[in-house]
Amino acid sequence: VNGKEQPDYDVLIIGAGMSGIFSVVRMKELGLRTKVIERGTGPGGVWYWNRYPGARFDCESYIYGFTFDRKILDEWDWKEHFSAQKDTEEYINFLVDQTGIQDAFQFDTEIKSAYWQESSRFWLLTDTTGHCYTSRFLINALGPLTAHTLPNIPGVSDYKGLSCHSSRWPKEEVSFEGKRVGLIGTGATGVQIAQEVAKTAEQFTIFQRTANWAVPMRNKALSAEDMADIRRRYTEIHTACKSSPQGFHFGPDPRNTFDIPKEEREAFWESLYSRPGLVKWVGNFKDLYRNQAANDEYSAWVANKIRQRVNNPATAEKLIPKSHGFGTRRVSLETNYFEVYNQENVRLVDLKETPIEKITEKGIKTSEEDLEFDILIYATGFNPVIGAYEDIDYQGENGLKLKEKWADGPKSYLGLNVSGFPNMFTVLGPHHAAGNLPNSIETAVNWVHQLIKYMSERGFTYEMADEEGELEWTKHCNEVGKGLLALNVDSWQTGVNHNVPGKQKRTIPRYFGTNIQVRQWCSEEESRGYPHFRFNE
Ligand code: NA7
């Protein structure tokens, strides 16, 4: 990158998760002086922070791993079909070692502001200690679910026992043996925690506000032979991921629900149910998430599976989601989650019937009783997608604040560039492909790599996405999901978090199209020589 003055770095990256790591790899390939600034004390992002008991992938390990380096694919052995957090964190450290990027990281540092400097055309970042860093380019690799939220229940800070949000779990092991444990939240995280805590807690109370659809994970260890087979098939697996809408190695069944006779479609659902992973969600009939009648039919079928597994019929009914259909929110994968409610030491409190009034010094007071706990666990989720961007003060050209620009919902070009914010990228930020995330990260970071390479080759030091492209993409993002039942439901995917002021209204913070569409848009822009960008003006 040619510039008259030199900033401290060519590229600053905020966040050392999967997005940050792949960004460093690609930037180093371009010979750029790159620094990653990370709040945690090690790499991993979501796999560094979410070390709660039972944390593991909900997609197959071998499709989660990055595809860019054949040597890493050949040398890394996944231990299970759905890797546990500890093994995934180990994989991430292995990635860092193998790619030789260790010296790019600065841990234990939290960025509080990022200002574009008009005179030097550098980014100026400031951390919470007041230290400043300058760079030509800024890559935000903040992660879509980073800003954790505690419940907005009175008295949260009054509780005197051990309490912990799932994504701020202590590094030391927490024992539940002989303990009275309370858990608030039954999303994907709450389900995983419940399965673990129920094994040893003396008394375990699960507070559920909304029941969540959950289907069997069917995890298994991977033997040396399994890994050898996976390795032989890596190219085939990666091609399947690239050609499926959400980056998984399977896609929707091309048939519509009611085109298939009842008996045949139930046999199909039975076969999906017996398979591991999210195929029961992502590999189902193609109309299931747009056609209400089809969705009702499948939801009723899964509800019966829950009824078969829970001994107490009243408890089973409480565990069956009534307010949203199957797959209209993130589906959880579980291992004996429903059977947990058959255990003597486990109790379900339905907050729709008996709401929590307050958290006390000793536990939780509901409308009916005062409960005491030794440990309180909050699996209460995140301020989604743009939450992490709200925690940093971003200022672009002409004093434009990102907070203001995104006040009515995010605007971006391809989910990667924001008009008014030159030389800045938002990897896995709003409006970029979701699904199997490392797949989307590869698309995003390869885009950043190509754009910076294009600039370097031409001596450009400044880029800015134009408003026309941004309008086009934002309009596309707001329209592409039209008709999806998920858009009529409150969830982090529709930007709702009732614990955060201003996040009660449904928005479209993520991309509801396919990964294939995102790649097409990106490669078209690239192959046409970046018509929606201005360089070196
Ligand atoms: P989620 O999916 O946002 O789930 C949060 C859970 O916490 C959900 O059950 C909420 O109930 C519950 N919650 C949140 N606030 C409260 C209050 N104030 N009172 C009671 N219950 C509350 O977060 P997860 O961490 O489980 O999963 C996040 C993603 O990580 C997941 O989708 C995967 O992609 C991985 P609600 O449903 O809002 O009634």
Side-chain angles (χ1 to χ4, degrees), residues 40-54:
T41 56
V46 74
W47 299 108
Y48 168 89
W49 291 106
N50 289 275
R51 47 184 72 248
Y52 61 81

Side-chain angles (χ1 to χ4, degrees), residues 328 478 481-489 494 506-508 512:
T328 58
N478 289 328
K482 278 226 166 95
L484 280 171
L485 302 172
L487 294 178
N488 307 326
V489 174
T494 50
R506 283 177 210 147
T507 56
I508 303 196
F512 280 94

Side-chain angles (χ1 to χ4, degrees), residues 360-376:
T360 64
E361 276 189 21
K362 292 191 170 167
I364 290 181
K365 184 174 182 325
T366 70
S367 57
E368 275 189 357
E369 54 194 331
D370 222 334
L371 296 158
E372 291 190 5
F373 296 106
D374 303 305
I375 303 175
L376 270 189

Side-chain angles (χ1 to χ4, degrees), residues 145 151-153 166 184-190 207 209-210 329-330 351-352 356 379-382 492 498-499:
L145 296 171
N152 58 348
I153 302 172
S166 53
I184 302 181
T186 49
T189 303
F207 296 89
R209 185 166 66 183
T210 309
R329 282 172 140 202
R330 165 70 144 78
L351 298 180
K352 295 257 157 65
I356 296 176
T380 43
F382 303 85
W492 70 258
H498 293 288
N499 299 310

